[in-house]
Amino acid sequence: MAAAGPGGKRPAALALLGPAPGAPCCPHGPALLFVKTSQGTEEGRRFYACSACRDRKDCNFFQWEDEKVSEMRLAAREEYNRSHQPFFTHRQNVDRYKNFVLLPLSKRRFCQECQQLLLPAEWEKHSNHQFLCDITTAQLKSPSQLLYPLENKKTNAQYLFADRSCQFLLNLLTGLGFRRVLSVGTPRLHEMIQSKASQEEFNVRSLLLDIDFRYSQFYTEDEFCHYNMFNHHFFGGEAARETCRKFLCEENGERIIMVTDPPFGGLVEALASSFKKLMAMWRETEKEGHDNREMPMFWIFPYFFESRILDFFPSFSMMDYQVDYDNHALYKHGKTGRKQSPVRIFTNLTPSMIVLPEEEGYRFCTVCQRYVSSGNQHCEICNSCTSKDGRQWKHCVLCNKCVKPSWFHCDNCKCCTLQKHSCEKSDSGCFICGKAGHKRSACPSLSHGRAACQSDKKKGQKTRKRIKMLICKRLAMKHAIFSKRKVKNKKKKT
């Protein structure tokens, strides 16, 4: 978000009001309600847009909140949504998989263009496509390596865990005593758990919730649910929702944890709303002590989103462990300085419980009571291990806090910043109302807007109804006057 110069106005920005009752749908489920805001001005016009795609090129759904949509347009929209659903249902994909594994190795083919397992009867239709032959059982158990990653950072962002991070997470979860893992957007972790399920000593189960329907080719309805984490939408309807609800029920003392790795370009507000709803489903399992507790959770996200995550989950803390990915050019393990992976684990578990590998340089700080990276030195003044990015930070006496090693104190700005910067400092007030003392996410004006969302909608409907009645009344009066004149003219002629 660009800052304005001295005396200038900040540009307009979009604020999420959240899911609204009776919201229209696009192929990705119910749309989210947004409003265009500008600092110090009145709230703009509200509109619905796709929950999953922030780029209109990926999904061009748009509708004003107060817009009257014709029956013809609604029918066309429903038809469009149907036409953009997967060709096969989840049940059909499960049946196809059962037939596929019975085929001899020489007849197992996978179409790379359609990203689909092929049965012999379908070979002719895909004859002009590139495909893989001799698909082994090991490949079928590792679908994330068979499928092309969808790397749109704002929608799918399938940056898959490297084996190092995936194995660390699994070892950590089992060491903490969790026996059920709700894998929200973490297909690589899910398949590692599934691949070990046949081992006698391994007793961990996983349910994958993901927007990528291609995984339904490899997992049953009890192992995978087609799910949009931006609007808490289960594409499989009540049956899929019930599958998730049953999985969240902690039978025989099996502890459960949610592990999620959302697209980094996604809206934190929308994600937090969905995660809270999943936590609410867990609390509804009628287990004693769930009422005032949060479901254990690992939210894997870049460290620079820490303040945004803490706005919605104040009980969370950030771990120093650097998560790395196989198919991301920058987020790799072993790099130093600013090139280190910025992805961290945010959790509501007690930090001292999260044991990080000492062979990678992590050590336990007895004062902070948590594991930290080798470069994260304890600051005696702040009384904390303050580094966020893996480098050793330095304490600024004037700012009274630790800052990045590349930052210097600017007397004009009265804070630490990069040495090469512009001293044009923007107002530090709330972006929406301009007042100091709170952030945009906690703005009372926006909160009032959310709360009044439904009532305003009803008021708008009543107003439109009143106007319609007035128009009808005026038309009736005009018609009556015209009829009287017509009768008078006839009498004059006779």
Side-chain angles (χ1 to χ4, degrees):
M1 187 182 298
K9 289 185 178 179
R10 291 184 185 179
L14 297 181
L16 174 67
L17 293 176
C25 293
C26 71
H28 304 96
L32 295 179
L33 186 61
F34 295 86
V35 64
K36 188 169 284 189
T37 62
S38 186
Q39 189 182 35
T41 62
E42 291 183 6
E43 189 176 277
R45 195 176 177 187
R46 296 171 180 173
F47 63 91
Y48 291 103
C50 177
S51 60
C53 306
R54 290 176 65 187
D55 194 332
R56 294 285 295 276
K57 293 177 183 177
D58 298 318
C59 181
N60 62 0
F61 180 86
F62 181 92
Q63 180 185 315
W64 294 112
E65 184 194 22
D66 55 1
E67 181 180 356
K68 185 173 176 59
V69 183
S70 66
E71 293 293 329
M72 187 180 295
R73 189 175 159 196
L74 282 173
R77 180 184 292 169
E78 287 177 10
E79 180 57 35
Y80 177 83
N81 291 347
R82 275 195 296 270
S83 67
H84 281 72
Q85 295 308 308
F87 185 76
F88 294 111
T89 64
H90 195 167
R91 170 47 50 189
Q92 289 173 324
N93 275 337
V94 171
D95 293 336
R96 287 167 54 82
Y97 181 84
K98 289 176 181 177
N99 293 328
F100 188 87
V101 294
L102 293 174
L103 295 172
L105 194 64
S106 59
K107 291 190 176 182
R108 292 184 184 179
R109 293 185 181 182
F110 177 78
C111 180
Q112 290 181 299
E113 291 187 34
C114 301
Q115 294 286 280
Q116 181 183 321
L117 296 173
L118 298 179
L119 298 174
E122 299 163 343
W123 289 0
E124 184 63 31
K125 291 180 183 178
H126 299 261
S127 57
N128 295 327
H129 296 178
Q130 290 187 340
F131 51 83
L132 297 173
C133 299
D134 304 335
I135 304 300
T136 64
T137 305
Q139 285 177 297
L140 293 173
K141 288 184 177 181
S142 303
S144 68
Q145 300 195 29
L146 194 61
L147 300 168
Y148 286 138
L150 304 175
E151 295 180 351
N152 183 326
K153 67 177 180 179
K154 294 180 180 178
T155 309
N156 305 100
Q158 286 181 337
Y159 298 124
L160 304 163
F161 293 145
D163 286 340
R164 163 193 167 268
S165 293
C166 204
Q167 192 62 59
F168 164 75
L169 284 169
L170 186 54
N171 292 343
L172 180 61
L173 296 174
T174 53
L176 291 170
F178 293 104
R179 293 296 173 261
R180 295 194 187 196
V181 181
L182 186 66
S183 305
V184 185
T186 55
R188 184 62 64 83
L189 178 63
H190 175 73
E191 71 182 34
M192 181 174 278
I193 293 172
Q194 293 296 110
S195 65
K196 295 187 177 185
S198 58
Q199 300 175 11
E200 289 185 11
E201 67 278 4
F202 191 80
N203 55 352
V204 179
R205 292 171 55 200
S206 174
L207 173 65
L208 176 63
L209 306 185
D210 204 288
I211 199 169
D212 188 354
F213 190 69
R214 297 177 301 171
Y215 283 101
S216 68
Q217 299 179 87
F218 306 91
Y219 301 121
T220 65
E221 290 100 326
D222 293 330
E223 298 168 337
F224 169 79
C225 291
H226 193 199
Y227 176 77
N228 182 350
M229 70 174 78
F230 290 102
N231 59 2
H232 188 59
H233 178 63
F234 288 87
F235 293 88
E238 190 54 39
R241 190 181 292 271
E242 186 59 28
T243 297
C244 182
R245 200 176 286 120
K246 284 181 179 178
F247 186 83
L248 292 173
C249 184
E250 296 179 343
E251 297 175 350
N252 304 320
E254 292 181 335
R255 295 178 63 206
I256 187 165
I257 185 170
M258 173 167 43
V259 182
T260 182
D261 183 30
F264 302 152
L267 290 168
V268 175
E269 297 96 321
L271 293 168
S273 174
S274 294
F275 298 155
K276 286 182 178 181
K277 288 174 182 176
L278 287 171
M279 286 182 172
M281 287 176 71
W282 172 75
R283 280 193 291 270
E284 289 168 5
T285 55
E286 298 181 357
K287 294 292 180 183
E288 292 183 8
H290 280 192
D291 293 342
N292 301 318
R293 285 176 54 206
E294 283 184 334
M295 177 183 177
M297 181 178 173
F298 283 170
W299 183 341
I300 297 163
F301 226 48
Y303 70 82
F304 38 80
F305 283 101
E306 182 182 18
S307 61
R308 299 291 295 124
I309 292 175
L310 295 183
D311 282 343
F312 297 99
F313 295 100
S315 63
F316 278 35
S317 54
M318 187 182 80
M319 302 295 100
D320 273 20
Y321 185 81
Q322 296 179 10
V323 180
D324 60 332
Y325 297 83
D326 267 348
N327 56 324
H328 198 290
L330 300 176
Y331 298 171
K332 299 285 186 183
H333 175 63
K335 294 189 176 182
T336 57
R338 295 176 65 187
K339 295 183 179 180
Q340 299 176 74
S341 171
V343 186
R344 302 289 185 269
I345 300 172
F346 294 87
T347 183
N348 50 5
L349 298 177
T350 306
S352 59
M353 297 169 62
I354 314 299
V355 181
L356 304 185
E358 293 182 359
E359 62 272 16
E360 293 184 12
Y362 297 102
R363 56 184 176 75
F364 188 77
C365 176
T366 54
V367 181
C368 296
Q369 285 293 295
R370 68 182 182 96
Y371 278 83
V372 295
S373 61
S374 57
N376 194 356
Q377 299 298 315
H378 191 87
C379 175
E380 299 295 338
I381 303 171
C382 296
N383 195 29
S384 174
C385 293
T386 53
S387 175
K388 307 290 184 185
D389 60 7
R391 296 178 291 169
Q392 184 176 344
W393 285 21
K394 60 184 181 181
H395 189 86
C396 175
V397 179
L398 297 173
C399 291
N400 195 29
K401 65 177 182 179
C402 286
V403 297
K404 294 180 179 180
S406 55
W407 286 16
F408 296 88
H409 194 86
C410 175
D411 293 328
N412 293 331
C413 297
K414 295 181 180 179
C415 68
C416 284
T417 183
L418 290 169
Q419 195 165 17
K420 293 181 180 179
H421 72 283
S422 172
C423 288
E424 295 176 351
K425 189 172 175 64
S426 61
D427 297 332
S428 57
C430 169
F431 185 86
I432 294 171
C433 67
K435 296 178 182 177
H438 63 268
K439 296 181 181 179
R440 180 180 71 174
S441 60
C443 181
S445 303
L446 192 58
S447 300
H448 174 73
R450 287 193 184 105
C453 172
Q454 198 170 0
S455 61
D456 285 357
K457 195 172 182 179
K458 287 180 180 178
K459 284 179 185 176
Q461 288 172 349
K462 285 181 181 178
T463 304
R464 287 194 294 274
K465 194 174 181 180
R466 199 183 301 116
I467 291 168
K468 193 175 180 181
M469 287 174 70
L470 286 169
I471 291 169
C472 291
K473 203 172 182 179
R474 285 176 184 173
L475 286 171
M477 287 173 68
K478 283 183 179 179
H479 179 72
I481 293 166
F482 179 76
S483 299
K484 284 179 182 178
R485 285 177 181 174
K486 204 172 182 182
V487 170
K488 282 182 181 179
N489 290 334
K490 277 185 179 180
K491 284 180 180 180
K492 283 180 182 179
K493 284 179 181 180
T494 55

